[in-house]
Amino acid sequence: MRATTELEHQHQTIGRVAKACEVFAEMLDNGTLLPASALQSVVAFLQVYDHDYHREQEEWLLNLLRARGVPSGGCPISALENETHRLNILVTHLARAVELYSNNPAGVTHTLREYLHIIAEAYAEHIWKEDFLLLPMADKLLTDGDQQLLASRIQNAAASKGIEAHRVLEDLTQAMKGCPQCGTEPQLHLA
């Protein structure tokens, strides 16, 4: 399997969580109160799986593309790095909104809904650009040796940070299964 294929699989997992954020936002729009634990698990997933685990691997890919002549200040590298920075800020705001919601659900439901909607849309757009622009570009520009190097780094990351990343994914899956409101939403199944 090509290293870029593994990154695409990770995007699919992140994309399912982004869709779950949209469903959660819609549930809040309809007046459904959600367990704080499910929302806290979403935040943990985005912080650990996406930020700590997946983004490190993408940075390795971007560095290989730079080495193959793709300019740092141009598209797609600069645009994706700016989006990544924006996603980090949004997740920080979401974490704060979830914390406030945990203490007083009625007091911040609107703010929480807005961040869930924005995050769902921002991740969907970001992943689309990576899957349909970045990864095909990488498949054309990277040598077999580059792909092997990236695959080796991804394997090493899976051995070190992957355990924690998959634990937060499992925690999120369990939180959704344990949420009576979530069980009625087929879009919230992450597997």
Side-chain angles (χ1 to χ4, degrees):
M1 177 186 317
R2 296 176 71 88
T4 51
T5 302
E6 175 56 30
L7 293 174
E8 190 171 358
H9 288 303
Q10 292 175 19
H11 291 161
Q12 291 168 357
T13 301
I14 296 165
R16 286 191 298 272
V17 174
K19 286 179 187 173
C21 287
E22 184 63 32
V23 172
F24 282 154
E26 290 169 3
M27 292 171 76
L28 290 168
D29 285 341
N30 295 327
T32 303
L33 292 180
L34 298 169
S37 61
L39 297 166
Q40 291 163 342
S41 293
V42 167
V43 170
F45 171 85
L46 293 173
Q47 291 171 333
V48 174
Y49 188 95
D50 180 45
H51 181 71
D52 293 345
Y53 176 63
H54 176 72
R55 296 245 174 100
E56 178 182 60
Q57 296 170 43
E58 282 194 344
E59 188 56 39
W60 296 330
L61 171 63
L62 295 178
N63 287 335
L64 286 170
L65 288 173
R66 286 180 185 101
R68 292 286 166 240
V70 177
S72 292
C75 190
I77 293 177
S78 180
L80 291 172
E81 287 178 332
N82 289 336
E83 286 180 10
T84 296
H85 179 69
R86 179 176 178 249
L87 287 169
N88 288 342
I89 292 168
L90 288 171
V91 170
T92 299
H93 289 302
L94 176 64
R96 180 69 179 134
V98 167
E99 181 183 331
L100 294 171
Y101 178 85
S102 299
N103 295 325
N104 180 13
V108 294
T109 301
H110 175 74
T111 302
L112 179 59
R113 281 191 328 243
E114 290 302 311
Y115 280 117
L116 288 167
H117 280 299
I118 292 167
I119 282 176
E121 184 177 319
Y123 269 102
E125 290 174 6
H126 187 73
I127 289 169
W128 188 92
K129 289 174 188 171
E130 290 179 336
D131 284 350
F132 294 101
L133 300 174
L134 179 69
L135 295 181
M137 176 193 291
D139 285 338
K140 287 180 182 179
L141 294 176
L142 297 182
T143 66
D144 288 341
D146 293 337
Q147 286 276 358
Q148 290 173 352
L149 175 63
L150 184 57
S152 174
R153 288 179 175 172
I154 289 172
Q155 282 183 317
N156 290 339
S160 59
K161 293 182 178 181
I163 294 167
E164 179 66 9
H166 291 299
R167 184 195 60 76
V168 296
L169 177 59
E170 181 59 29
D171 289 350
L172 176 56
T173 302
Q174 292 306 314
M176 288 183 178
K177 286 180 182 175
C179 167
Q181 304 90 319
C182 302
T184 61
E185 293 291 337
Q187 301 95 329
L188 291 177
H189 301 287
L190 299 178

